[in-house]
Amino acid sequence: SALYRGFGAILVGGTPGTVLYLCSYEWIKTRLTHTIATKDDDVHNTNNNNNSHTNINDSTVKTMATNMMIHLTSGLLAEAIACIVYVPVDVIKERLQVQIQMKSQNSHLHQHHPHQHYPHQQQQQHYYYKGSMDALKQIIKYEGIWGVYRGYGATLASFGPFSALYFVFYEQAKAWAASTLQSPLSSIQMEKEKDNSGNINRSRSSNNGSYIELPFAYLILCSASAGAIASWLTSPLDMAKLRLQIQRGNGNRNPVHNVRSNPGMIPILTKIYQEFGVNGLFRGACSRVIHFVPAT
């Protein structure tokens, strides 16, 4: 049962968090696309009135850059919104997992030194939680609502870039996949459109207005590839976040219900680089990729 400590929090909060994440991405992307398209139409009409001629290659590069920025921004903002749900779940899961480690360490000390007194254990005993709901109640009671959002910045700094890069790679991969099914198509000429069921899996060619239905296998491949690349590139950020989290379990930490000071992600990344170099920053990257590929 210790292996699944915090599973209740994940079960209750994970699904709403994912729904909020995906819906936020689609809504933000749609609004940004509409806003930018409206401005581009105004500029295009102005240029036509002035008999101005725009280079096709310049327009192509601009469209590609615009689409990438839309997907990048939408992914980052969607993660920021979803973290409203994800961070409390992560905090509760972390507290429950750490207390198992503390209990195991205390039991080990008593077995080897049964008659020795450890004052710090008396401070830690009342920090044990019965379950996810009990942890939530105690954290809010002793730390306030901000207690369940401790680490929001670190979480967003880790998963925000991942989400941003993931959607950039995913959208571009879908465009490339569509271009292989019907040629000649340019990846920047693909627009996504929702079908009647609400699924977004079709790409449109601006050349002839036809729609390309991407096979399910293509969608899986696009998603897995995007998840693998994004998770690899952001692995150092995830390592720094984990270092911040496990500080709760080391011997130098303050009591759980007191405000802790930590060095921050940048100093942690700097220290890892100084000690282990670039390879140290990407230690565990393969495991992270293996985790995120099925998840995405």
Side-chain angles (χ1 to χ4, degrees):
S1 62
L3 292 175
Y4 290 92
R5 278 283 181 173
F7 179 75
I10 297 175
L11 187 63
V12 173
T15 300
T18 301
V19 171
L20 182 62
Y21 173 60
L22 296 176
C23 291
S24 297
Y25 171 76
E26 287 297 333
W27 185 83
I28 295 170
K29 184 191 66 175
T30 300
R31 298 302 303 171
L32 287 176
T33 301
H34 175 74
T35 301
I36 293 176
T38 301
K39 292 182 179 180
D40 288 344
D41 288 341
D42 293 339
V43 172
H44 179 71
N45 292 333
T46 301
N47 290 337
N48 286 340
N49 293 333
N50 296 331
N51 296 321
S52 174
H53 299 282
T54 303
N55 186 281
I56 295 178
N57 291 333
D58 291 343
S59 178
T60 295
V61 172
K62 180 181 178 181
T63 302
M64 178 181 291
T66 299
N67 288 339
M68 291 181 64
M69 287 305 301
I70 288 175
H71 301 147
L72 190 78
T73 304
S74 300
L76 183 61
L77 293 179
E79 185 66 38
I81 295 173
C83 278
I84 296 174
V85 176
Y86 283 144
V87 170
V89 171
D90 195 47
V91 168
I92 293 172
K93 173 175 66 70
E94 173 198 334
R95 298 286 182 94
L96 291 171
Q97 291 173 341
V98 167
Q99 76 175 8
I100 294 298
Q101 178 184 359
M102 291 165 50
K103 186 175 181 180
S104 176
Q105 291 174 348
N106 292 342
S107 299
H108 178 77
L109 289 174
H110 278 295
Q111 288 177 0
H112 291 81
H113 308 281
H115 301 294
Q116 188 170 348
H117 179 63
Y118 300 94
H120 69 279
Q121 291 181 11
Q122 294 180 354
Q123 294 179 337
Q124 296 175 350
Q125 290 298 323
H126 67 282
Y127 299 138
Y128 292 153
Y129 309 112
K130 299 177 182 178
S132 299
M133 288 303 300
D134 182 58
L136 178 62
K137 292 177 181 178
Q138 288 200 45
I139 293 172
I140 294 177
K141 178 180 179 181
Y142 290 101
E143 304 174 50
I145 190 64
W146 182 247
V148 296
Y149 286 101
R150 180 175 296 173
Y152 178 91
T155 301
L156 183 59
S158 173
F159 286 101
F162 166 79
S163 296
L165 292 175
Y166 167 77
F167 281 113
V168 168
F169 295 141
Y170 176 62
E171 300 286 0
Q172 191 63 44
K174 288 181 65 177
W176 285 336
S179 69
T180 64
L181 295 178
Q182 182 172 337
S183 183
L185 295 176
S186 173
S187 62
I188 59 154
Q189 294 174 325
M190 303 299 172
E191 292 182 2
K192 298 194 328 177
E193 178 171 306
K194 292 185 179 181
D195 56 20
N196 294 331
S197 63
N199 297 321
I200 299 177
N201 58 2
R202 297 193 293 180
S203 296
R204 184 178 68 178
S205 166
S206 61
N207 291 339
N208 53 23
S210 62
Y211 289 91
I212 303 172
E213 189 80 20
L214 292 181
F216 182 71
Y218 277 69
L219 295 175
I220 294 296
L221 181 60
C222 292
S223 179
S225 300
I229 298 173
S231 60
W232 177 273
L233 292 177
T234 58
S235 182
L237 298 177
D238 186 61
M239 176 183 291
K241 182 181 79 73
L242 292 176
R243 289 287 184 97
L244 289 174
Q245 288 180 324
I246 63 177
Q247 285 178 356
R248 301 179 193 274
N250 64 30
N252 296 323
R253 69 175 182 85
N254 296 329
V256 175
H257 288 312
N258 291 337
V259 177
R260 294 184 304 111
S261 60
N262 57 64
M265 295 189 69
I266 299 299
I268 286 179
L269 289 172
T270 302
K271 182 177 179 60
I272 294 174
Y273 176 76
Q274 291 174 344
E275 293 181 357
F276 305 105
V278 176
N279 290 335
L281 292 174
F282 287 90
R283 182 176 298 173
C286 290
S287 299
R288 179 172 163 83
V289 169
I290 292 173
H291 166 74
F292 273 101
V293 166
T296 54

